[in-house]
Amino acid sequence: MGMQCQYARGLVSEVSVKISPRERLKHETKALHKRLDSLPLMHSLTQKDLDVSRYTETLKVMYQWLLMVAPKLAQLDLPNYARPERKIEALSRDLHHLGQPASLHPVSSDVHGLHFAMGIHYVLEGSSMGARLLAPRIEASLGRSDVTQFYRLYGEHTFDYWQRTLSLIDETLDDEQAVVDACEGACWAFISLIERVESAEALHSRSSASE
């Protein structure tokens, strides 16, 4: 794919070393975050002409990605609201309402270190901020409100939960190697999701071309 974390290339600047762990994570994943948001499938969530089939396709990608991610987070002592299983269950309910039954059993996945997992947690929880803004747009586009449980999972607590996540990150990543490992985990999270989205888009394009 040609995308990787800046840390993996050994290009950490002196400025980035002096900022907080949360700011390091934001800095290191900025380009990947922008790349993910620019992909047609993800961008479609913000469009007024979003249709059910495209939305369903997006949720299926997110669901499969979360099944892969969940085992990597098992080692973290997360509060109940932040357990990835809750997000998986919400996605499952949305897919059910869209006529797409889904299994709740996480897939097997290699488990990395605790700080790597914290980086993944940062990406997953950070997505809740965007989800809060996307939910009403999606509901308006689709003309229904029964398929956005995943996007509305935190409701009015979204900002408070995000602040708790950032505090946990700053407290947990207490040395340079911990921050580096977390940045690698965060970059892995973005790259793995980008790859899944791009695969789904390629399959969609092939299917459309054969019709």
Side-chain angles (χ1 to χ4, degrees):
M1 171 176 286
M3 293 180 293
Q4 56 183 323
C5 191
Q6 183 168 312
Y7 282 91
R9 301 196 303 270
L11 300 177
V12 186
S13 69
E14 291 183 4
V15 173
S16 69
V17 170
K18 298 175 183 177
I19 61 179
S20 67
R22 69 175 73 179
E23 289 298 325
R24 293 271 291 278
L25 282 162
K26 181 179 180 180
H27 170 74
E28 291 302 319
T29 58
K30 184 177 181 179
L32 291 172
H33 194 168
K34 184 177 181 180
R35 169 63 178 157
L36 176 64
D37 287 346
S38 71
L39 295 177
L41 190 61
M42 305 306 288
H43 183 64
S44 68
L45 296 176
T46 67
Q47 303 303 298
K48 293 181 179 180
D49 61 352
L50 174 69
D51 58 34
V52 171
S53 63
R54 200 75 168 137
Y55 181 58
T56 302
E57 193 174 353
T58 305
L59 291 192
K60 287 168 69 175
V61 170
M62 289 298 299
Y63 183 81
Q64 291 301 321
W65 179 73
L66 274 170
L67 287 180
M68 177 182 67
V69 164
K72 297 181 183 296
L73 300 179
Q75 62 190 301
L76 298 179
D77 184 19
L78 299 175
N80 185 60
Y81 68 80
R83 290 172 50 247
E85 290 78 14
R86 288 197 65 223
K87 296 177 177 64
I88 290 172
E89 290 163 4
L91 272 171
S92 180
R93 290 192 295 270
D94 287 338
L95 286 168
H96 174 76
H97 290 147
L98 290 165
Q100 296 285 331
S103 167
L104 285 176
H105 302 293
V107 299
S108 60
S109 178
D110 293 336
V111 176
H112 296 269
L114 183 144
H115 297 132
F116 187 95
M118 188 61 71
I120 299 172
H121 178 57
Y122 166 83
V123 173
L124 190 52
E125 292 304 293
S127 69
S128 66
M129 295 296 287
R132 178 178 61 89
L133 300 175
L134 282 173
R137 291 189 182 187
I138 293 169
E139 291 165 358
S141 297
L142 300 182
R144 57 193 295 186
S145 59
D146 62 329
V147 292
T148 52
Q149 292 183 52
F150 172 70
Y151 288 94
R152 290 193 177 277
L153 188 59
Y154 288 168
E156 62 184 16
H157 301 294
T158 302
F159 183 75
D160 177 51
Y161 287 169
W162 177 232
Q163 292 305 306
R164 293 187 195 183
T165 296
L166 294 178
S167 295
L168 177 64
I169 285 169
D170 284 344
E171 293 167 5
T172 304
L173 306 180
D174 55 3
D175 62 45
E176 177 63 19
Q177 189 57 52
V179 175
V180 170
D181 291 346
C183 286
E184 290 178 349
C187 290
W188 174 87
F190 271 114
I191 291 170
S192 61
L193 181 53
I194 288 169
E195 289 175 340
R196 285 180 175 270
V197 172
E198 289 181 334
S199 293
E201 289 177 340
L203 181 61
H204 177 78
S205 296
R206 289 196 296 270
S207 298
S208 299
S210 63
E211 291 178 357

